[in-house]
Amino acid sequence: MLKNETNTEMYGGAAACGRFSGNGEEFWLEHPDKQPRAWNNYLWNDSFLAQTLADGTGASFLRHPKGERTTLNGGRRRVFVQDKTTGAFTSFPTGAEGERVVFGQGYITYEAEWQGLKLSLQIRVPEGVRGELWLVRVENKGASEAHLNVYSFMDVSLSGYHTPFHITCLRSDFDSAKRVLLYTNTDAHCTLPYFNGFVACDSEVAGYDAAYAAFIGCKPGIEKPDALLKGACTNTPYLGYGPAGVIQTPCDLAAGGESTVRFLYGVHDSVEEVDAAIDAAFAGPAVFQSNPGAREREQNARFTCTTPDGEADRLFNTWTKHNLRFCLDWTRIYSTGFRDTLQDAMGASSLDPAATREKILKAMAHVYRSGRCVRAWNAVNTLADELYADGPIWIPLAINAYIRETGDIALLDEVCPYLDEGSGTVLEHMLAAVRFLHEDRGAHGLCRIHDGDWCDTAHMLGKKGHGVGVWLTIALYHALGEIMELARFVKNPTLVDEMREKREYLRAAVNDAGWDGSWYRIAFNDEGRAIGTAAERTGKIFLNPQSWAVISGIADSGRAQQCLQAIDSELDSPVGPLLLSPAFDTMDRTIGTITGFSPGTIENGSCYCHAAAFKIVADCVSGRGGKAYATLRAIMPGGDADQSNPGADCPPFAFTNSRAAMFHPYIAGKSLGLWVTGTVAWTWVAYSEWILGVRKTFEGLIIDPCIPAHWDGFSVQRIFRGCTYDIEVSNPDHVEHGVSGILVDGKKWTGSTLPIEPGKTLKVHVTMGAKS
């Protein structure tokens, strides 16, 4: 039995395949063969990442400082267990019925049973180790002794560098004293470090194989390896045509006995690094992990909630934070996006402000002295060379989130390099960026799009240098407002005046040229044609200009209401608000690839969950608690859109980038892009700071909930600037928005900002309703 194995809630309706643990920290996949799609878990540290699926497949690789990746695992992992007496054997994980998979935060555990044996494999990526650690436990539940061999198997790859050859150039050596099988790269085209590998074992080694064909044979599939048919590994070194990593260890168990053996698969640049990795990974007892690690527990405690929605509590108290940490640490896996880094940093500010600060400084080092921002770095493609104009927008959002959380205005004076030459303070970087975007205006006084803005695939709107963005200009207006608020806080009236003047110009330009009569357009392309207008047959309305017009305040109250009405009438759907409508059905090269996607998928009229999170914030700004909550329930993993759709396939623990529109003929409601998405950061902020309303400001915390009227209330524990707040919110009049009174430690509090008393716990009671 696993910890807290009491919850019987199943996920997946008629095709039920699993359930959460009682505390929600694990998802138990009881029927791997009934998954609606191949769900995966990510295990990582700051340099190494392992993708793990229910059948044990999934690549793992090392991230190099300049963007290259060393792929260690080509895709398959398997543990074989053989009865030495009879020669019979089994293997797991396979993803078959009868196995169980535990998706944990920082680990994955596979469980199987065979001939009175209980078999378990847990995989982790230890801190400071460039590799993946396997713990294999065998428990003898039978009445007689068991004499076994345990074999670990991995498809070793060690690829990722540029070479014209298709044959892996390696030499392998087995060190019997250290119980290590070493792989040394011998390709003269490999000039990079860390394309050498190893597999180590902490127990007696009875044999090994470094070649796929020596262990498996020449037949397809790995279910019946030749070595096991013969009863043992062949001790064959790698001699070309497919490396593998196999270690054989004996396992003799008395009745009722159990044994745990560890295997470490990794990459290295020297034998000394192998020794250090083994020492780190094999230190201490071989104990299975069954809850989040210390870092996770500390961060999780900074914000916890109890609401009438137990599913949301489970998600936001554990898994969303874990998902956000992954985005913060690994951004988008194969590149480090400028926009992505800053949005993730903004979202993580309430959980890990130190990491937020680090990511802000890293992003600032990728701003040119002119203020131009790169699109990405450490990329395996040419993303860094493209001019995506929205980069400056996200800088003040991330910086303000950090300063609101910590009060640390010293960040503004931190000196960091520009990408091309010289250095400047963080404030100078931010101002250079927004001034660059503000001065780069074209037709109608709107900002030029160049290679794109937030919507990556509308990348042809401004390719010739003439296209301008309505959303882009609205977003800049919002960013300048953030700087204006910061300038007031640090008492810089000159900067306040500059930001106000710039905003007034943009406000007039957007409301003059951007308004289409009932909603805001999205852009004007290089030919000057308005995009996102009722005059078009497809692509009449886009979500982002409407939500950001409300968030930023660029729309007056009348137009803001029209924007929200347009979202409700034109874009709302069972899977959440669509990014645009009607979907494009004809390729338009003056707009971009967005028009070439199948209607209802990706950016072409799906529910793009990242944008839906913007809409939640807009709802809350407008006091629409019911609408905000309905959208949250639609886009959250395992939420209403997934539960009502038999074809839904989003795992109930990881956010998706988008869901296909319900009018799609065969993937309606299915998720497209998991784990690594801006949806995570923005939904976390939308829920914690806007729906629950526990929102940080420069002066301190305010409590401003915007909830569905049927909620009686909720509670939150929040750690903020060293002070712990136990917050109880009651909603006796069942309103969606508004606070009638606040008590702090039983005394009436007349201010809107809570007191800050580091080291203390303050009891806060908030009553919702109309102010008396």
Side-chain angles (χ1 to χ4, degrees):
M1 299 285 284
L2 290 176
K3 176 184 176 183
N4 295 312
E5 190 169 358
T6 58
N7 194 320
T8 59
E9 176 187 354
M10 301 298 288
Y11 173 80
C17 58
R19 54 194 167 121
F20 282 94
S21 61
N23 60 11
E25 292 178 349
E26 296 177 334
F27 183 77
W28 303 332
L29 185 59
E30 308 279 13
H31 304 286
D33 58 317
K34 293 181 180 178
Q35 292 177 100
R37 68 180 293 170
W39 292 342
N40 68 303
N41 201 4
Y42 284 109
L43 320 174
W44 75 92
N45 58 32
D46 61 354
S47 64
F48 194 87
L49 172 67
Q51 180 195 39
T52 54
L53 283 74
D55 62 355
T57 59
S60 64
F61 49 84
L62 174 75
R63 174 173 58 189
H64 290 241
K66 294 186 178 180
E68 299 88 353
R69 304 289 189 269
T70 298
T71 299
L72 169 65
N73 180 6
R76 287 182 291 188
R77 305 173 182 87
R78 193 70 68 90
V79 172
F80 294 87
V81 178
Q82 183 170 38
D83 187 319
K84 289 191 287 188
T85 303
T86 67
F89 59 86
T90 189
S91 70
F92 76 105
T94 64
E97 176 63 21
E99 296 181 1
R100 182 166 93 151
V101 185
V102 177
F103 290 85
Q105 297 172 43
Y107 58 93
I108 192 166
T109 306
Y110 303 94
E111 299 175 347
E113 294 185 357
W114 178 70
Q115 295 187 1
L117 301 174
K118 183 176 180 180
L119 310 174
S120 304
L121 163 65
Q122 186 172 99
I123 302 175
R124 310 174 198 162
V125 173
E127 289 297 323
V129 175
R130 298 180 177 91
E132 50 185 86
L133 174 65
W134 298 13
L135 284 83
V136 178
R137 182 165 59 203
V138 181
E139 301 176 60
N140 184 7
K141 300 296 185 180
S144 58
E145 295 180 347
H147 301 281
L148 312 168
N149 276 320
V150 175
Y151 305 79
S152 67
F153 170 85
M154 177 187 282
D155 270 324
V156 173
S157 175
L158 296 175
S159 61
Y161 59 92
H162 296 291
T163 177
F165 304 122
H166 299 290
I167 303 300
T168 304
C169 296
L170 294 174
R171 183 183 71 246
S172 71
D173 300 283
F174 181 71
D175 187 325
S176 58
K178 294 182 178 179
R179 300 191 288 267
V180 177
L181 177 58
L182 291 166
Y183 306 85
T184 303
N185 191 295
T186 57
D187 189 341
H189 286 87
C190 183
T191 58
L192 295 167
Y194 295 104
F195 281 92
N196 309 300
F198 69 92
V199 52
C201 180
D202 72 342
S203 302
E204 177 188 350
V205 174
Y208 73 92
D209 275 313
Y212 181 92
F215 182 70
I216 300 294
C218 295
K219 56 185 174 297
I222 62 172
E223 304 306 322
K224 296 182 179 180
D226 280 1
L228 270 71
L229 295 176
K230 298 173 182 176
C233 280
T234 63
N235 296 333
T236 301
Y238 176 73
L239 298 172
Y241 296 95
V246 182
I247 293 289
Q248 172 189 341
T249 182
C251 180
D252 297 317
L253 298 175
E258 67 175 69
S259 177
T260 301
V261 59
R262 289 178 285 203
F263 302 95
L264 179 62
Y265 286 88
V267 297
H268 69 93
D269 197 40
S270 69
V271 175
E272 290 75 19
E273 290 183 352
V274 175
D275 295 340
I278 292 171
D279 290 344
F282 291 170
V287 178
F288 273 54
Q289 189 169 327
S290 59
N291 51 54
R295 174 197 179 195
E296 288 78 7
R297 290 194 300 273
E298 178 182 351
Q299 293 176 11
N300 289 354
R302 291 179 63 91
F303 191 114
T304 57
C305 59
T306 303
T307 76
D309 189 337
E311 291 177 333
D313 291 349
R314 178 179 61 211
L315 184 66
F316 288 101
N317 284 333
T318 56
W319 282 98
T320 300
K321 297 170 183 175
H322 181 69
N323 198 163
L324 181 52
R325 280 187 289 268
F326 179 49
C327 291
L328 186 71
D329 290 346
W330 276 79
T331 315
R332 302 302 174 260
I333 300 180
Y334 287 100
S335 69
T336 304
F338 188 89
R339 172 206 312 148
D340 304 324
T341 294
L342 289 168
Q343 289 187 98
D344 295 342
M346 174 201 71
S349 60
S350 59
L351 305 176
D352 192 348
T356 294
R357 194 180 201 277
E358 176 190 342
K359 295 300 179 182
I360 289 170
L361 293 174
K362 179 66 73 173
M364 292 306 92
H366 291 86
V367 176
Y368 290 94
R369 177 175 285 277
S370 66
R372 174 179 171 174
C373 306
V374 302
R375 186 185 178 193
W377 64 93
N378 287 352
V380 295
N381 51 33
T382 59
L383 290 177
D385 299 328
E386 298 175 334
L387 175 51
Y388 268 59
D390 65 310
I393 304 300
W394 313 106
I395 300 174
L397 273 66
I399 288 174
N400 280 10
Y402 170 78
I403 295 177
R404 287 174 179 137
E405 181 69 27
T406 63
D408 177 22
I409 61 174
L411 171 67
L412 299 174
D413 296 323
E414 186 90 10
V415 176
C416 53
Y418 290 106
L419 185 60
D420 47 353
E421 59 178 1
S423 60
T425 66
V426 167
L427 178 61
E428 288 170 339
H429 280 67
M430 176 171 66
L431 294 179
V434 297
R435 288 165 179 162
F436 175 87
L437 179 55
H438 183 268
E439 294 307 310
D440 190 21
R441 298 191 309 275
H444 311 292
L446 304 175
C447 300
R448 299 180 196 274
I449 294 178
H450 297 289
D451 292 320
D453 58 18
W454 177 90
C455 188
D456 292 337
T457 57
H459 57 106
M460 301 299 291
L461 287 167
K463 206 75 172 179
K464 298 177 183 177
H466 306 301
V468 292
V470 177
W471 171 84
L472 178 63
T473 308
I474 293 171
L476 176 59
Y477 177 88
H478 180 60
L480 297 178
E482 288 283 315
I483 297 175
M484 189 165 67
E485 188 177 343
L486 174 63
R488 288 197 186 103
F489 179 64
V490 299
K491 297 179 173 56
N492 186 338
T494 302
L495 186 56
V496 171
D497 290 342
E498 179 192 351
M499 295 299 108
R500 181 187 295 111
E501 181 181 352
K502 285 178 165 56
R503 276 166 57 87
E504 288 173 355
Y505 180 92
L506 298 180
R507 183 186 185 98
V510 166
N511 281 291
D512 180 40
W515 185 248
D516 196 56
S518 297
W519 56 72
Y520 286 96
R521 299 159 178 155
I522 185 78
F524 293 84
N525 68 6
D526 279 324
E527 286 67 41
R529 178 164 61 96
I531 309 299
T533 170
E536 295 290 329
R537 183 179 62 84
T538 56
K540 291 183 176 183
I541 179 172
F542 286 69
L543 176 61
N544 282 356
Q546 322 320 320
S547 59
W548 280 71
V550 175
I551 293 169
S552 68
I554 203 169
D556 61 29
S557 59
R559 285 190 175 180
Q561 287 304 309
Q562 285 183 276
C563 289
L564 294 169
Q565 290 166 9
I567 291 173
D568 295 344
S569 62
E570 304 291 333
L571 296 170
D572 200 17
S573 86
V575 293
L578 305 180
L579 187 62
L580 63 90
S581 184
F584 295 103
D585 56 13
T586 303
M587 175 63 181
D588 186 340
R589 294 186 184 277
T590 72
I591 298 176
T593 300
I594 185 174
T595 64
F597 290 132
S598 296
T601 67
I602 322 295
E603 287 101 335
N604 188 16
S606 74
C607 173
Y608 210 83
C609 298
H610 186 176
F614 300 154
K615 184 263 185 186
I616 293 173
V617 176
D619 282 330
C620 293
V621 168
S622 304
R624 305 197 323 162
K627 291 288 188 180
Y629 180 66
T631 298
L632 174 76
R633 289 288 313 176
I635 69 170
M636 61 184 264
D640 293 344
D642 290 336
Q643 294 177 17
S644 63
N645 177 17
D649 62 355
C650 183
F653 48 80
F655 272 95
T656 180
N657 193 48
S658 64
R659 282 181 176 79
M662 291 306 292
F663 59 76
H664 194 281
Y666 56 85
I667 60 168
K670 291 191 179 296
S671 51
L672 302 167
L674 298 172
W675 283 95
V676 283
T677 165
T679 304
V680 186
W682 271 92
T683 306
W684 167 250
V685 170
Y687 186 65
S688 62
E689 298 201 25
W690 290 96
I691 292 180
L692 300 184
V694 183
R695 190 157 63 250
K696 53 184 177 282
T697 71
F698 291 117
E699 292 77 18
L701 280 184
I702 63 171
I703 313 298
D704 183 28
C706 193
I707 60 175
H710 68 267
W711 277 18
D712 293 323
F714 61 91
S715 64
V716 168
Q717 186 174 82
R718 174 75 155 94
I719 299 174
F720 176 78
R721 299 191 193 176
C723 183
T724 299
Y725 299 85
D726 282 338
I727 303 165
E728 291 286 341
V729 176
S730 61
N731 189 21
D733 297 333
H734 291 278
V735 300
E736 293 188 354
H737 186 236
V739 171
S740 62
I742 299 176
L743 299 176
V744 177
D745 286 343
K747 298 178 182 179
K748 184 177 180 179
W749 185 257
T750 57
S752 59
T753 305
L754 297 179
I756 303 173
E757 299 184 26
K760 293 186 177 181
T761 297
L762 300 180
K763 301 288 185 180
V764 180
H765 187 271
V766 176
T767 302
M768 295 183 66
K771 289 185 177 179
S772 57

